[in-house]
């Protein structure tokens, strides 16, 4: 294996931190499940326009490739190598602020967390049989959820194309064919073992075997972050009684992409900011101050339409869940204020 060539214009964190020296130290290492450096960096090498460029094939990828992973994690989350992540999912400590009393700006709110089952490789390293086993275990647990959480699991392989299209259009289902995941080996054997669970109201959903084995999602129209979070906590409490998730003392919940470590939580609003959206500098100044990220109307790698943006927390590691909600709330408050002023 030779040192990969990155084009001059490449700005990925992989190209920044995979120096020839780091490469030399890591090139022959294998994790406990046999995952290699070559596999970990394939996505970023094939796609020089990656922001990050690496994926973990198992929990052991993080310590094994630490000379590469640690600086990437530090730059993305602002999390120092000697820090320790703390979770706070015990109760709903979050005190909401009324953000949009007339319902003029916030269209919908969504909070998701990523989880992977303890003892299995992650998406880039999992075998076909193991993936099916994970799907089977998760499905069994999902189909006995109580009350308002109860619903049905829909295997992707049995879903009609028109239903798939409409679930994607309405923001409920993952898109297919992400080229970064494809290069990382996450999409092998697609659509086998993949699926979506949702309750009757489609305000509680679980994606199975997409980028992570579980993406647990609570969402609804409007800006009631508290209600969305309460539903997510309730679901997590139920799922944790029967499923054990991959968790690390230092890095929190283990995910296939280093951007999702820690809380693995992305709390977002779809918000109409047609005027502020035209003032890029001011818009970015506010989001940066509150550690927020701007995405398009169909999520990552999509563009905004009609001045509607997906605003969410950027950091997931080294911050607690209530802190993330606090950052989002303060940031959205500032964004609405700025929009009103223009
Ligand atoms: P992830 O949330 O897993 O990081 P994406 O950015 O691809 O991944 O978003 C997944 C889907 O969730 C997309 O269809 C996106 O539009 C939708 N979504 C995200 N936030 C919201 C929200 N606040 N309201 C409605 N849909 C949302
Ligand atoms: N691998 C892609 C990149 O480096 C996505 C990284 C973050 N997004 C994610 N869905 N994990 O740009």
């Amino acid at each position: 294996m030779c040192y990969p060539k990155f084009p001059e214009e490449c700005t990925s964190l992989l190209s920044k931190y995979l120096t020839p020296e780091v490469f030399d130290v890591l090139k022959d290492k294998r994790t406990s499940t046999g995952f290699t450096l070559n596999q970990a960096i394939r996505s970023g090498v094939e796609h020089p326009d990656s922001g990050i460029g690496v994926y973990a094939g198992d929990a052991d990828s993080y310590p094994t490739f630490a000379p590469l992973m640690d600086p990437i994690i530090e730059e993305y989350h602002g999390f120092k190598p000697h820090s320790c992540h703390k979770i706070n999912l015990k109760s709903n400590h979050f005190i909401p602020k009324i953000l949009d009393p007339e319902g003029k700006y916030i269209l919908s709110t969504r909070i998701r967390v990523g989880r992977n089952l303890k003892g299995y490789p992650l998406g880039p390293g999992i075998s076909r049989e193991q993936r099916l086993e994970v799907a089977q275990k998760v499905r069994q647990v999902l189909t006995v959820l109580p009350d308002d959480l109860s619903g049905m699991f829909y295997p992707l392989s049995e879903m009609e194309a028109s239903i798939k299209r409409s679930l994607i259009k309405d923001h409920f289902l993952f898109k297919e064919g992400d080229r970064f995941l494809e290069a990382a080996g996450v999409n092998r054997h697609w659509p086998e073992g993949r699926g979506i669970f949702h309750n009757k109201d489609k305000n509680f959903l679980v994606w199975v075997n997409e980028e992570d084995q579980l993406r647990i999602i609570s969402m609804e129209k409007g800006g009631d972050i508290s209600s969305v979070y309460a539903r997510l906590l309730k679901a997590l409490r139920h799922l944790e009684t029967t499923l054990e998730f991959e968790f690390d003392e230092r890095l929190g919940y283990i995910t296939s992409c280093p951007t999702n470590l820690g809380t693995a939580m992305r709390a977002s609003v779809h918000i109409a900011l047609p005027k502020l959206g035209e003032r890029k500098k001011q818009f970015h100044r506010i989001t940066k101050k509150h550690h927020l990220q701007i995405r398009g109307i169909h999520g990552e790698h999509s563009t905004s339409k009609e001045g509607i943006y997906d605003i969410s927390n950027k950091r997931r590691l080294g911050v607690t869940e209530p802190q993330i909600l606090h950052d989002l709330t303060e940031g959205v408050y500032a964004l609405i204020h700025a929009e009103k002023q223009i």
Side-chain angles (χ1 to χ4, degrees), residues 50-53 55 180 211 257 259-260 300-301:
S50 292
I52 313 296
Y55 288 91
F180 301 97
E211 179 172 328
C257 179
T259 62
N260 281 316
E300 199 175 26
H301 309 124

Side-chain angles (χ1 to χ4, degrees), residues 4-285:
K5 245 190 145 145
F6 296 103
E8 211 153 282
E9 65 278 12
C10 176
T11 55
S12 69
L13 297 187
L14 171 67
S15 68
K16 183 167 174 185
Y17 294 113
L18 189 72
T19 59
E21 295 72 34
V22 168
F23 178 79
D24 261 350
V25 172
L26 299 181
K27 68 180 192 309
D28 299 319
K29 294 221 161 145
R30 274 176 181 272
T31 66
S32 54
T33 70
F35 199 71
T36 62
L37 179 72
N38 189 25
Q39 287 174 289
I41 66 173
R42 193 173 299 152
S43 188
V45 172
E46 272 187 31
H47 300 294
D49 60 337
S50 292
I52 313 296
V54 291
Y55 288 91
D58 53 18
D60 192 34
S61 300
Y62 290 105
T64 303
F65 305 123
L68 172 65
M69 293 293 195
D70 279 352
I72 290 181
I73 290 170
E74 181 172 353
E75 179 159 341
Y76 184 84
H77 298 279
F79 182 81
K80 301 263 179 252
H82 57 263
S83 327
C84 203
H85 179 73
K86 286 192 189 73
I87 53 160
N88 183 359
L89 280 167
K90 292 289 168 250
S91 61
N92 195 347
H93 286 306
F94 169 65
I95 300 165
K97 210 173 185 158
I98 306 294
L99 289 175
D100 182 18
E102 302 140 79
K104 264 178 76 179
Y105 301 94
I106 304 178
L107 280 75
S108 54
T109 303
R110 174 181 185 266
I111 309 178
R112 62 87 164 150
V113 293
R115 294 288 186 265
N116 291 280
L117 296 196
K118 190 175 166 65
Y120 287 90
L122 301 166
I126 201 164
S127 72
R128 187 177 198 160
E129 292 68 32
Q130 287 169 320
R131 192 188 301 104
L132 290 173
E133 215 174 282
V134 167
Q136 186 56 26
K137 277 193 181 170
V138 172
R139 186 175 177 165
Q140 263 171 14
V141 176
L142 289 173
T143 37
V144 295
L145 282 174
D147 320 325
D148 54 323
L149 300 176
S150 75
M152 289 257 294
F153 180 81
Y154 303 88
L156 201 62
S157 54
E158 293 167 23
M159 198 180 281
E160 269 179 40
S162 60
I163 300 206
K164 218 187 284 178
R165 266 198 307 277
S166 107
L167 285 174
I168 294 173
K169 181 177 112 337
D170 295 338
H171 310 284
F172 296 123
L173 181 62
F174 44 82
K175 288 178 272 185
E176 296 196 1
D178 180 287
R179 64 191 166 96
F180 301 97
L181 294 179
E182 185 72 39
V186 176
N187 296 348
R188 286 167 300 132
H189 318 116
W190 193 275
E192 202 181 75
R194 277 76 178 195
I196 181 176
F197 168 93
H198 66 75
N199 65 354
K200 198 163 85 335
D201 296 335
K202 293 206 192 93
N203 58 19
F204 171 66
L205 307 96
V206 181
W207 295 354
V208 177
N209 283 324
E210 194 242 6
E211 179 172 328
D212 288 302
Q213 289 161 9
L214 291 97
R215 284 286 172 94
I216 304 162
I217 303 162
S218 172
M219 63 196 281
E220 66 186 46
K221 299 253 183 259
D224 192 343
I225 299 180
S226 221
S227 138
V228 174
Y229 188 52
R231 190 182 310 112
L232 181 74
L233 287 184
K234 177 176 173 182
L236 282 173
R237 271 198 299 275
H238 281 286
L239 295 174
E240 278 163 358
T241 58
T242 29
L243 296 174
E244 195 179 351
F245 299 129
E246 197 70 70
F247 184 82
D248 178 79
E249 281 300 311
R250 186 171 80 90
L251 295 175
Y253 288 103
I254 295 296
T255 52
S256 63
C257 179
T259 62
N260 281 316
L261 289 166
T263 58
M265 179 163 130
R266 189 168 90 87
S268 65
V269 292
H270 273 181
I271 181 169
L273 300 168
K275 296 180 190 144
L276 187 61
E278 295 297 314
R279 298 194 181 183
K280 295 279 176 262
K281 259 195 176 157
Q282 189 187 0
F283 192 12
H284 286 262
R285 203 170 47 239

